[in-house]
Amino acid sequence: MVAPSRGSPIVSLRGVGKVFGTGTLALDGLDLDVRGGEFVSLLGPSGCGKSTALRIIAGLSEPSRGAVTWMDGAGSGHARDIGFVFQEPTLMPWATVFSNVFLPLKLEGLDKAAATPRVMATLARVGLADFAGAYPRELSGGMRMRVSIARALVTAPRILLMDEPFAALDEITRFKLNDDLVALWRELRMTVVFVTHSVFESVYLSERIVIMTGRPGRVSSELAVEQPNRDAQFRTSAEYAAFCRQASEALAQAMRAGAGAAA
Amino acid sequence: MNERTLRIVLPVVVLALGVVLWDLIVRINGIPPYILPGPVLVLTTLCADWSILWTSLLATLETTIEGLALAVIGGIGLAVLFNQSRLIEHSLYPYAVILQVTPVVAIAPLLLIYLPQQAAVLACAWIVAFFPVLANTTLGLNSVDRNLADLFRLYRASRWQVLWELKLPAALPHMLAGLKIAGGLSLIGAVVAEIAAGSAGAGSGLAYRIAESGYRLNIPRMFAALLLLSLAGIVIFALLSLLSHVMLRRWHESAIAREG
């Protein structure tokens, strides 16, 4: 498969709405393009439907209205091309780290011998090569999340969907994983859609921030973060602070708009 | 003394005190053995009647283990079937409950009329043992992590893969808990049926020996048989607990010793 040129959309959401069985309108008229190779964050208050949008892109949830179009013609949720990282590590507690990462390949029908090099290479990539035989409960929260990321990466997906993956981690671990994620994104040249409610995290990680209003969720504004270097220096720079202020203001505006719509 | 030692020492002390008290009551009051035999007499009877009691124990254990094995096959099989098809679950589940809530003592005489004796005894053991396996496995199969289930969906797992790779391993702790209950119940089912069968004719299990000794006023042997039954129950429970521990010790909270 030819990789799409950088910048052209690989998946488009047009007028996507989602009504849950309880009658809650989670999304309404959401328009979003995800471009090949970009790192885009969906930033919004809790309950603004950003996770729902991610699940719709993954094909785990069907939109009630509107359309999701994949530019390569493959259906939504094209198994091999999507990696998904949940808010919790979501590992199988009865299986070793190796078996957890091997799972997507196993479900595809690969046998263990054939998959072992790939699984081990992916584990090495997230710094867990020495823990292949460990069980999830023997690992720290940050390590479990790394396993979860390795499992999402093992199929070499074109698009990685992440649903507030670091929200439950302590700050030191979160910063470390942020750095590792940026490095992985650079190295693997994949597309990342990252859902977060943290302004600081979204500015640090992404090239583009899509700010969403709450109830019902739709796009409020966008912010481009043009900054090639994502490192400790960037995190403490005046530029970073300025981006964070911009994003915070945009978020505050989105929340006011959301509150206005709800009233 | 640490917690662990206390947990072993205290019950042993209580047992020793109980036996001494029992012995004293029998001696001081001069109670005749056909009313209440002393602990020493029960032990000597156990040794003297060992060959009869041992054969009977084996017969009862055979029924118990067969009943338990059938309960595990039937319980897990039915739970999987229920999990795969709502239609089957709604059609059959009420009858599984009815089978469970009807006292097995009341069913045993009927079964003995319609089935050969050995089959009837086995059926009783099965009836009481299978429900905990079914109920626990059903609970386990339904308590799969939703996100994990989504992950399997994302990777287009087949129904079979979801069952084999996700649902059954997730249900394992519940299944093993059900098995632990079922082991004891299977023994109870076997004993109840043997007692019911005992009055109907030939039998050879331990419970039959108890009934038979009762008619003959051989009270020491009744006690010896009861002691063996109790021990059998304890051993079954201990073995199933060990099995559960071995299968879960690497990953499940219930089997992990807390440190600190």
Side-chain angles (χ1 to χ4, degrees), chain B residues 59-76:
Chain B
T60 303
L61 278 182
E62 195 188 324
T63 312
T64 305
I65 291 165
E66 284 172 9
L68 183 61
L70 291 177
V72 167
I73 296 167
I76 293 177

Side-chain angles (χ1 to χ4, degrees), chain A residues 55 60 77 93 106-107 137, chain B residues 150 153 156 161 251 256:
Chain A
R55 290 175 58 84
L60 289 173
K106 191 180 194 179
L107 294 177
R137 64 159 210 94
Chain B
D150 276 345
R153 211 144 64 81
R156 303 273 159 94
Q161 284 174 321
W251 65 275
I256 295 160

